[in-house]
Structures are given as structure tokens and as C-alpha cells.
Amino acid sequence: MTPSARITGSGSYLPARILSNKDLEQIVDTTEDWIFSRSGIRQRHIAAEDEFTSDLALAASREALQSAGRSASEVDLIVVATTTADQVFPSTACLLQERLGIRGCPAFDVQAVCAGFLYALDVVYRYVATGASQCALVVGAETFSRILNWEDRTTCVLFGDGAGAMVVEASDSPGILSSHIHADGTYKDLLCVPVGVSTAYQEILNGRAYTEMQGKEVFRWAVSALGDAVIEVLTTNGMDKAEIDWLVPHQANIRIIKAIAKRLDLSMDQVVVTIDQHGNTSAASVPLAFDAAVKDGRIQSGDKVIFEAFGGGFTWGSMLVQI
Ligand code: UT7
């Protein structure tokens, strides 16, 4: 019998510094009210100057391992989803592996921006379900503040830094029930950092690698693609909307989250919302939200949970998990 891939532990980390909407009024031409009413964000965490994505990933990973009751030496696969790697190479996953004090197991990064964690978890799911991994560590970690133009009010007010991690193990009990990831590169220009090491290395050296977004267009696509994605996951599993206990959505905009909850006929009491506290932490947003709801006791063993996320690429996906 093929094993299922169960989430056996989770952890998270948020940098100490909090930047409120009020603080942002001093930085760009915006208001506390505009940010909250358009996005649902009240504050976000910002990494210290000497704090890097691997630091955030390490703190979240340690907590996830502890909550799973596993030691780092038992991990046989590390996958890190990030858009903001410490270095061009080695991967953040390799840096994390070294800092966890383990050697030999495969470790690599996955890059799908805000859908990155779902992509990473999809990979881990397939490794574990085929018996190639028994105990995997999957992390979403971002220092997104580093790729923001702090003079562009249309983007800098939306994002934050953080990390979330999960331990996924082979099990005889149900776990991840199905995973569905998608991409459409024709929309590459609507949400991007339009420079990279191959095209404009000088821009990167000058610290001018900034996120650009056509907000309205992205919003429209996110609502449509995520609406289809949550129906896809239900249909695949022959499941009724009423059987879902929780939605753990990507935290990009509360209005997008509400639209998807409505598509699933879920009350907002069944939706994990952290956007007010975290902003959009890109690949870290789903595991951060999941961990918050596990820690405060909302998500319990046996619950059926839908994860969804949408990001630059476009990339998007959905997953159904029994906890
Ligand atoms: O995680 C990846 C996926 N990302 C997303 O899904 C994000 C999707 N997009 C959004 O969440 C929303 O489009 C935003 C929150 C980015 C913007 O909300 P909106 O309701 O679409 O506003 P808008 O872009 O249409 O802007 C409305 C007005 C504009 O002024 P005019 O042209 O109407 O005079 C903007 O210039 O608000 C202005 N504006 C701001 N005003 C104050 C834009 N940014 C700001 C700001 N403060 N920070």
C-alpha cells in the first residue's frame, strides 16, 4: 500500500520589527485607512538588516521539528520555497541543511513566488507518497522587504517578511489527499521583479531589483484562478463543500480571501486570516497561517483543510489535507 504524506508538525518565525500602516504614512503617500480598507493589512514584520531568509527558515524549521517530535538527523529531504534566497547559490535549502547540522539528504529550493509553498509541498507530497522520503522538511521563507521599492506606494504597503515550516512524514493514516498546481507564463509581466542575474546584474548590485505589480489585473486573475482551483480540489476528491473544516488561503488581500470563502460557502469563522498581522509574506504566507491556527487550537487532528495560493508567473494551486 502506498503511504500517505501527513503533516506531523509545523512552526513559524516572524522578525521582531513591526511596521504599521501608520509608520508607512511617514514613508510613502498613503493612509492607514487606504491600506486596511483595500487589502485588510494593519501591520507587517520586517527583517533586521543582518537577518536573512535562511535565518527565518532555520527558526521556523526548528519549531516544526520540535512540534513533530523529530530531530534534524531524521530529515531525509529539505525543500525551501523562496523568492528571496540569501545567495544566488548554494540554495537556501543547502544553507538551511548546513545550519541544521545534517548532511547527505537532498536539499533544494523551489521558486513559484507566492504560490511557492504549495509548489514545495506538492513536491514533498510526491516524494513521500512514492516512498522516496520518510520525513521531509518543507519551508516557505521570505525577506520580501528586500525586493520592494519603498518609494512605490502601490507595492511596498502590501508585503512583509516571515517563515513557516512543516514536517511531512510517510504514514498509514490519511494526510495530503490531493494537490493541484498550475502556471501560465503569458502573464509574466503583471507581477514580477523584471531583472535578474542574467539580464541586469548591475541593477541587482545597485539594489534596484524591485517588485512591480498591475494590482487590479492580478486581483481579477487571482479571484478567478483560485475560485477554479478550490472547486478542482473538491471535484477531484468527490467532496462536498460542507465537508471542509478550514480554508488556509494565501494572504494577499482580504477581499480575495472573502471571495474564495464565498465560492466554498464557508463562513469567515472557518477561514484562517493572518493578513492583518503579517501582510503578504509570499511563499511564507500559507505555512505561517496554518501554524497560527494549529497553535491557537483552531485546526485539530482529523480536520479537512484546503490550502490555496496565487503568485507571480502566474502560478497557483490548491491542496486538500486531512490533518
Ligand atoms: O500575492 C500575489 C498576488 N497578489 C495579489 O493578489 C494582489 C492583488 N491586488 C490587490 O490586492 C489590489 O489590487 C491592491 C490592494 C494592490 C490595490 O487595490 P485596488 O482596489 O485594486 O486599488 P487600485 O490599484 O485600483 O488603486 C485605487 C487608487 C488609485 O488612485 P486613482 O488612480 O483611483 O486616483 C491608486 O493610485 O488608489 C491609489 N493607491 C493608493 N492610495 C493610497 C494605490 N496605492 C495606494 C496607497 N495609498 N498605498
Side-chain angles (χ1 to χ4, degrees), residues 57 59 70 77 79 85 96 128 135 206 214 217 226 243 252 267-268 274 284 292 302 309 315 318:
R70 294 286 174 203
L77 169 67
V79 185
L96 176 63
V128 173
C135 180
N206 294 338
Q214 307 294 320
E217 288 288 290
L226 289 174
E243 294 175 69
S267 91
M268 283 307 284
T274 51
T315 51
S318 60

Side-chain angles (χ1 to χ4, degrees), residues 29-31 34-35 38-39 114 153-154 157-159 191 213 215-216 218-219 222 250 252-253 255-256 280 310-311:
D29 179 17
T30 192
T31 63
W34 189 95
I35 301 171
R38 299 293 176 121
S39 71
C114 297
R153 68 177 184 171
T154 68
V157 304
L158 301 172
F159 295 90
L191 175 52
M213 178 167 71
K216 258 197 189 332
V218 175
F219 186 101
H250 172 48
N253 189 312
R255 292 181 287 141
I256 298 176
N280 181 348
F310 183 90

Side-chain angles (χ1 to χ4, degrees), residues 5 7 60 87 126 163 169 197 201 215 235 237 243 247 251 275:
I7 298 168
Q87 302 177 197
R126 294 175 201 286
E169 296 186 54
V197 285
Y201 189 53
T235 310
N237 292 281
E243 294 175 69
L247 172 66
Q251 311 282 322
I275 188 166

